[in-house]
Amino acid sequence: MAKTLEDNFERLEEIIKTMEKGNASLDESFKMFQEGMKLVESCNSSLDKVEKQIIVLGNNGEQEDEWF
Amino acid sequence: MAGVYTVKQVNSYIKNMFKQDFVLNSVSIKGEISNCKYHSSGHIYFTLKDNDAILSVIMFSSQAAKLGFKLTDGMAVVANGRIDVYDAAGKYQLYANTITKEGIGDLYKKYEELKNTYEEMGYFVKEYKRPIPKITKRLGIVTSKTGAAVQDIINISTRRNPYIQLILYPALVQGEQAKYSVAKGIATLDEYGLDCIIVGRGGGSIEDLWAFNEPEVIEAIFNAKTPIISAVGHETDFTIADFVSDLRAPTPSAAAELAVCNMDDLFNAIEDYRNRLFRAVNLCINFKRDQIERYKLRLDYLNPVNQVYEKRQRLMNIEDKLAMLMKNEIVRYRNRLNLNISRLDGVSPLKKLNQGFGFIEDMDNNHIVEVGQLNIGQDVITYLKDGSYKSKITEINYGKDIRG
């Protein structure tokens, strides 16, 4: 299952807290930083920034029309 | 004629009979209100009627003040009180103590029963509640296509997140068919794999909201895989749907607030994560840099060159000390020497020469201290203060002191 935005947020929180403790090796820190930045980008791109019309269903559950 | 009575006597007699009747002293009567009049004194007068009969009712102001609602013509009520005779008019009427709306009473009882039933079945327990996702991308709505509720939900949802996908199932929310329509809407949207579904309608009477107490709707909510927010009526209205749903919103607008997160907040949160990541990595680097600096200081301290310096210093100290000792020793010897010189000086024969004595040696440098060493005709040398002279022994006398 693809990671949800919330999962990503949680992981980011975890990464940042670990890094802020300051006892990770520089190598580990850079790895975490890289992972974090990737997550940030993926969070950003997972937010679909297209305005959508409202779908209205018919009685049988099929899409009937769209309106604002 | 056995007797003739006055009207008053007859009415009093009848009044007394009413008074003695156990049933008439406290009776509940249901009917529809008509001809209702609120008198300026606070008393309420109305007629209670059903299809076949009417009854006059009076509610005195003291009781009327406790009435929680306003009586209107056509309202179905149950009035409780005593039936008494107003003898001045020759009329009997109900003196009402309490009046309840009949419909509400019945429905409320039914509501309580249903609520207890489902509560006992465990439909309301927390363990069954699905969490409402923090970030909803696709939101289902089951409500009337017309009406304020759907507009409120659409307005608030799209204001908070313009990119959200809303899917509306237009349901009947009132009337006989409403329960089937709402239940079907929930089941239909549940198949769409949405993040969350709002089920609700705007405010209304308990009858208007009744579909949300019906088993069809309760079951549909309970069985749905999608988290469901109920939003039925106003803040004060409770339906069983509110208890069985995963989250109860006081109004449809509030439901949209709960279901849809504010997109700006989300963007800010992501930006915040980015900044924090940069700060954290800089922190790490600086921390390591400090660590390096500390190691450098410690290494410097342990540098062998420092040991050489130290040893050299020690050596110099020892050297100084040695020199000092040596100097002291020399001084000591010099003092001793001086002492000996003065002692030598004290016993020096030269000193005696200074006082006018002479020092006599033979030609072989033997010191002549007694005349026995001498022979007539022998040469000797006499040393005086300022020089010496050579002489020849001409005479030797024993045992005579120079002072004769």
Side-chain angles (χ1 to χ4, degrees), chain A residues 6 9 13 22 24 26 29 36-37 41 44 46-49 52-57 59 61 67, chain B residues 134-135 137 145 154 163 165-170 184 189 192 266-267 273-274 276-277 284 287-288:
Chain A
E6 284 165 72
F9 276 16
E13 200 70 50
L26 204 56
S29 295
M37 289 310 282
E41 292 318 314
N44 255 328
S46 78
L47 291 175
D48 181 1
K49 290 167 209 158
K52 296 171 195 72
Q53 292 191 313
I54 293 155
I55 298 172
V56 181
L57 299 180
N59 255 344
W67 43 266
Chain B
K134 286 201 197 74
I135 299 147
K137 293 183 189 173
K145 190 172 173 176
I154 290 169
Y163 316 118
Q165 175 69 71
L166 297 177
I167 302 179
L168 172 69
Y169 184 95
K184 190 175 175 204
L189 287 183
Y192 266 71
L266 213 54
F267 288 138
Y273 278 128
R274 190 202 300 275
R276 279 172 68 195
L277 268 171
C284 285
F287 185 77
K288 299 292 170 199

Side-chain angles (χ1 to χ4, degrees), chain B residues 47 88 93 98 111 133 141 148 159 169 189-190 217 220 226 229 233 250-251 261 276 316 338 354 361 398:
Chain B
T47 307
Q93 55 189 2
T98 58
Y111 164 80
I141 307 163
R159 191 189 69 215
Y169 184 95
L189 287 183
D190 193 34
V217 173
T226 318
I229 301 177
T251 60
C261 81
R276 279 172 68 195
M316 273 162 68
N338 285 341
N354 282 339
E361 283 179 348
Y398 287 92

Side-chain angles (χ1 to χ4, degrees), chain B residues 90 103 214 237 267 301 310 327:
Chain B
E214 294 279 12
D237 297 323
F267 288 138
Y301 182 72
E310 198 202 346
K327 205 175 147 193

